[in-house]
């Protein structure tokens, strides 16, 4: 049985929060920090993709709050712009810190606003969870084949 969409998205949030903590505690190990930065960027990119392709459209239909969805998409765009700067960043710590500040603000807003409204709306969260899991599997296969 598919996992609830909000539970999946929240698991992403928690995974990324843990990766940011690992990055912070990597201290002066540049190879470890670079590796963690790449994972953080990949996780956030994948998370934004499934939200934008699957969760947000269903949320907008169920709740009718296009403004909230548009705000969330703008926050995603800001994080994507920051992620795009990471490969050329002279200060990796600063680049990841900027991503973290923006991502954390977005996560808190999602938890408070979007997820609360989604739960109250009667959305088919298990069905959406299945679609999210399928899309992730599809992307993972594509990445592995590349």
């Amino acid at each position: 049985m598919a996992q609830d969409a909000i539970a999946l998205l929240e698991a992403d949030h928690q995974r990324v929060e843990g990766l940011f903590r690992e990055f912070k505690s990597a201290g002066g190990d540049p190879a470890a920090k670079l590796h963690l930065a790449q994972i953080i960027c990949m996780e956030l990119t994948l998370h934004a993709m499934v939200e934008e392709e699957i969760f947000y459209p269903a949320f907008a239909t169920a709740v009718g709050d296009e403004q909230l969805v548009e705000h969330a998409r703008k926050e995603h765009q800001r994080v994507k712009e920051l992620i795009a700067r990471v490969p050329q960043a002279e200060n990796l710590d600063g680049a990841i810190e900027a991503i973290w500040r923006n991502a954390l603000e977005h996560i808190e807003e999602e938890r408070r606003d979007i997820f609360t409204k989604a739960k109250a709306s009667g959305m088919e969260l298990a069905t959406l969870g299945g679609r999210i899991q399928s899309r992730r599997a599809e992307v993972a296969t594509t990445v592995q084949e590349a």
Side-chain angles (χ1 to χ4, degrees):
M1 185 166 139
Q3 197 174 6
D4 171 297
I6 292 174
L8 286 170
L9 297 174
E10 187 56 40
D12 287 353
H13 292 164
Q14 291 169 5
R15 186 170 41 257
V16 169
E17 287 169 339
L19 289 166
F20 278 111
R21 283 191 298 275
E22 280 185 58
F23 181 88
K24 281 266 203 215
S25 49
D29 184 346
K33 283 191 158 188
L34 179 60
H35 179 71
L36 286 165
Q38 291 168 334
I39 294 170
I40 288 166
C41 293
M42 182 203 60
E43 289 285 342
L44 287 171
T45 300
L46 180 58
H47 177 79
M49 182 195 72
V50 296
E51 279 188 336
E52 291 172 7
E53 288 181 9
I54 299 167
F55 188 78
Y56 288 166
F59 175 83
T61 299
V63 177
D65 196 337
E66 287 289 341
Q67 228 174 356
L68 194 52
V69 170
E70 187 55 33
H71 177 72
R73 287 181 189 275
K74 285 180 182 175
E75 289 178 333
H76 279 187
Q77 186 56 41
R78 175 69 181 135
V79 170
K80 289 175 191 176
E81 290 166 3
L82 292 168
I83 287 171
R85 295 181 189 163
V86 168
Q88 300 90 332
E90 291 181 25
N91 176 3
L92 186 60
D93 287 357
I96 294 300
E97 180 64 30
I99 291 168
W100 173 236
R101 280 193 315 271
N102 281 271
L104 184 59
E105 180 180 323
H106 175 70
I107 288 167
E108 288 171 353
E109 288 178 8
E110 268 190 345
R111 286 174 174 156
R112 182 184 61 240
D113 301 329
I114 294 177
F115 291 170
T116 301
K117 286 184 177 185
K119 288 175 188 173
S121 75
M123 288 174 64
E124 289 290 331
L125 296 172
T127 301
L128 287 174
R131 290 180 53 209
I132 288 169
Q133 287 174 315
S134 295
R135 181 66 174 127
R136 281 185 189 195
E138 177 185 325
V139 170
T141 301
T142 303
V143 169
Q144 288 172 351
E145 290 173 355

